[in-house]
Structure formats: C-alpha cells, structure tokens
Amino acid sequence: MESSQENLFDQAMARYQAGARAAEILPDFLKITEMAPRQAAGWTCLAWLQLLCDQPEEALRSARFAVKLSPQDPQARINLSLALLETDSKGVRDQIQMVQQVLTMAPQISDDLKGALEDGLVRRPGWKALEKVKSWLNF
C-alpha cells in the first residue's frame, strides 16, 4: 500500500476509533478499496461498516472478498458470518468453525475480537446476528 493509501486508512481508522459514525467513514473505505483493491484490511473494514449501516448485500460482497484475500483473518470471517446471517445465506457454520480454529491456535487475538463485537453492539444496539455470533464464539 502506498503512503497516501496508508495515510487514508490510518486516518479513517482513527476517526472510527474516536467514535465517528460508521456512515461518515464508509465513503473513505470505499475509496480505500478502490485505490488498493488487494488490501484485505480495507475490505474487512468496509464490510464491517456496511454491516453497521445495515447494508447486508454490499457487506456480503465485501466480506467474501476480504476472506478471499486473507482467509486466516478471523474478523473477516466474522463479518462474512454476519453478512450471511443477515442475507439468509448458507455457510455460516463453516465460517464460525474457522474462527474457532483460529482462536484455538492464536488465543491472544480473542480480546481484540471480543472488543470489536462489543463495539458493534454499542454502535448497533440489539443487533441479533451479532448477538448470535457472539454466543456461538462463547464471547
């Protein structure tokens, strides 16, 4: 990723972490994925924001691409699980099992994932799909 793309990514992430609304940051990640279409992190973030903005079809496409680019990324697989649930698509169990396998091999990342799921419930209270995924992962 070039410096300007990294800069835009870092700035957008900082704004998100500072509490900016998902809808405000979504255009930045659309631009990031246009500028760097092979960057998995951009697609993972875009899918998450699309889910927060109740755009499940768009999130499904973004999450599938993120998983294709980075199959070992548990957040990408969680996003794909959520998008599959929200679009009544098949394949959720496979994604959850992959996340569980990654957590078994790298338990140190579970705190980050738990934090992301908690953030999702704060930003989108009552998010049924996220509550299901959280319980399946025993978070």
Side-chain angles (χ1 to χ4, degrees):
M1 196 166 37
E2 291 180 16
S3 179
S4 64
Q5 294 163 346
E6 287 176 15
N7 207 13
L8 181 57
F9 183 90
D10 292 342
Q11 288 173 2
M13 284 300 297
R15 288 181 32 233
Y16 179 85
Q17 291 167 343
R21 290 181 31 247
E24 294 172 19
I25 304 165
L26 186 63
D28 291 341
F29 278 95
L30 286 168
K31 185 175 181 182
I32 289 165
T33 55
E34 277 181 27
M35 291 169 49
R38 306 294 299 164
Q39 183 208 22
W43 288 102
T44 300
C45 292
L46 177 60
W48 180 252
L49 293 169
Q50 289 167 327
L51 287 161
L52 287 173
C53 292
D54 198 22
Q55 299 175 0
E57 295 292 337
E58 294 87 343
L60 183 59
R61 283 190 293 278
S62 298
R64 281 188 170 141
F65 203 64
V67 167
K68 182 178 178 183
L69 291 172
S70 184
Q72 73 285 359
D73 182 352
Q75 184 64 55
R77 289 194 179 271
I78 287 172
N79 294 350
L80 181 53
S81 298
L82 292 166
L84 290 167
L85 281 169
E86 296 208 346
T87 58
D88 292 321
S89 300
K90 295 181 184 201
V92 177
R93 181 178 299 156
D94 294 338
Q95 301 307 317
I96 295 298
Q97 288 173 342
M98 290 295 294
V99 173
Q100 290 168 330
Q101 288 175 4
V102 171
L103 289 173
T104 299
M105 295 168 68
Q108 69 276 12
I109 62 172
S110 75
D111 287 344
D112 290 340
L113 292 176
K114 285 178 187 176
L117 298 185
E118 289 301 324
D119 176 68
L121 289 172
V122 168
R123 291 175 181 263
R124 189 174 163 188
W127 188 358
K128 298 292 183 213
L130 185 59
E131 290 170 355
K132 284 181 184 180
V133 168
K134 187 177 170 191
S135 72
W136 291 335
L137 294 173
N138 297 315
F139 284 174

